[in-house]
Amino acid sequence: MPKTMTLSQVMKKLEDQGDEKVRQRYVRDGAGDNVFGVLLGKIRSLAEALGTNHGLGLELWATGNHEARILACMLLDPAALTEKEARALLEPLSNPTLVDELVGRVLVHAPIAEALQVRWMDGSKELPLRAGWRLLAGRIARGLAKDLDVRATLTRIERELPPASYRVKEGINFCLVWIGIHLPAYTAEAIAIGERLGRWDPRPIPKGCTSSYAPEWIAASLALRRGEKTAARKTMEAAAKAKAAPVRKKSARKRPAAPKRAR
C-alpha cells in the first residue's frame, strides 16, 4: 500500500473494507447513516500505513463519514491544531465514540488541551462537557495537570455526577477513575467517592470488560499493574473459559460380541 494516498483512494479503501453487519451495529450505536462498517483493526492498519498526515486527516474529517473520522483521529497532528479549529471539529459532534477518539488520540496531546478542558468543563453542552472531563483525565494520566486542585476536583465530581446526563456521567466517572489510578495519594478518596455515588450505570458489564463502577475499575487497574487479578476478574475469566471449553460427547460403549454358537 502506498504511503501517500489521495482522499478518494482512502475513501475507496474504507468502503471496500466495509461489512454490512458491522455497519448496522455502528448505526445502532449512534454513528449515523454515513458509515461503511469497517472494523477498528482495519482502520488502524490503514493509519499505520499512512502515518501522520494532518492535511489528509482534515479532508477525511470533512467527509462526515464515521470511519473516515476515526481514521482522521489517527492521522491528525495535535500540535498543528488551533483552539478554534479543535472546537470546530468537536463541538458539532453528536456521537460520543467520535468525541472520545478525538480527545484520546489527538486533543489530549495538543498544546491547547488545557484551554479546551477549562472551556468545555465550564460549559453546558453535553458532549463538549464530556470531552472536558476526559481531557482532564488524560492530562492527569500524563502528569500534565500539576497545578490541579485535586481535592476540589473530587468534590466537584461528587457534586456534578449524580444530576448529569448519562453521557456526561461517563466522562466524569472516567476522570474519577483516572485520579484513583494515577494519583496514589488520592486513590482511597476516589474509591470512597465512588462508593458513595454507587452503581450509577445499570447496564450489564460486557464480556471481557471491566466494571464502570469506580471502586471496581480502580481496583482492577491497579491489580493489573501489579501483575495480579481481582477476584471479580478471575471469576469472569473462569466462567468464559468454561463456556468456551468444547463439550466432549460420551462415546457409546461397545458391547462385547456374542460368542459364536457351536454347530
Side-chain angles (χ1 to χ4, degrees):
M1 184 187 301
K3 193 174 179 66
T4 303
M5 296 176 68
T6 64
L7 173 64
S8 59
Q9 288 173 327
V10 175
M11 293 300 292
K12 181 67 168 61
K13 183 79 173 175
L14 288 171
E15 186 174 8
D16 290 346
Q17 292 180 332
D19 178 273
E20 180 58 25
K21 288 184 178 179
V22 177
R23 192 192 75 80
Q24 290 175 10
R25 187 173 81 237
Y26 287 173
V27 170
R28 284 196 303 270
D29 291 343
D33 296 324
N34 191 352
V35 55
F36 296 137
V38 186
L39 292 170
L40 187 58
K42 292 182 178 181
I43 299 176
R44 283 199 197 102
S45 296
L46 183 54
E48 288 172 7
L50 292 170
T52 300
N53 188 329
H54 192 72
L56 179 58
L58 291 175
E59 288 181 323
L60 286 164
W61 191 271
T63 66
N65 175 266
H66 179 71
E67 288 88 354
R69 285 184 162 183
I70 296 288
L71 178 58
C73 292
M74 302 175 188
L75 304 186
L76 290 169
D77 178 4
L81 284 172
T82 66
E83 184 179 342
K84 183 178 179 181
E85 288 169 337
R87 290 181 58 202
L89 294 177
L90 188 135
E91 290 179 3
L93 292 177
S94 59
N95 181 358
T97 298
L98 274 175
V99 168
D100 295 348
E101 287 288 322
L102 185 59
V103 168
R105 294 184 184 276
V106 184
L107 300 183
V108 77
H109 304 286
I112 40 93
E114 184 176 6
L116 291 170
Q117 169 214 308
V118 171
R119 170 183 283 275
W120 287 335
M121 282 180 64
D122 289 341
S124 58
K125 288 186 67 178
E126 184 182 51
L127 290 184
L129 190 50
R130 174 192 179 101
W133 281 103
R134 290 188 70 99
L135 265 176
L136 175 56
R139 293 183 61 246
I140 288 170
R142 288 162 180 77
L144 300 175
K146 298 188 183 300
D147 296 330
L148 179 69
D149 185 336
V150 182
R151 188 149 281 113
T153 302
L154 289 169
T155 299
R156 182 174 176 180
I157 286 172
E158 190 164 12
R159 181 180 67 249
E160 294 188 14
L161 187 144
S165 69
Y166 185 83
R167 289 171 168 180
V168 177
K169 274 185 169 75
E170 286 187 314
I172 298 174
N173 186 67
F174 186 79
C175 189
L176 174 63
V177 170
W178 255 228
I179 289 172
I181 293 170
H182 297 283
L183 300 178
Y186 297 94
T187 298
E189 194 169 343
I191 290 172
I193 289 172
E195 290 172 344
R196 290 197 294 271
L197 291 171
R199 294 181 182 273
W200 54 269
D201 188 346
R203 298 175 304 175
I205 303 167
K207 187 164 58 178
C209 294
T210 303
S211 168
S212 61
Y213 179 48
E216 291 178 353
W217 190 350
I218 293 168
S221 297
L222 293 178
L224 194 61
R225 283 186 170 192
R226 297 190 299 266
E228 303 168 358
K229 291 179 182 177
T230 61
R233 171 64 65 175
K234 289 177 183 176
T235 302
M236 183 176 65
E237 289 183 358
K241 189 175 181 181
K243 190 174 181 181
V247 179
R248 293 183 180 178
K249 293 182 179 179
K250 292 181 179 179
S251 56
R253 183 180 290 177
K254 291 183 179 179
R255 292 184 179 180
K260 291 184 179 179
R261 295 168 71 180
R263 290 185 177 179

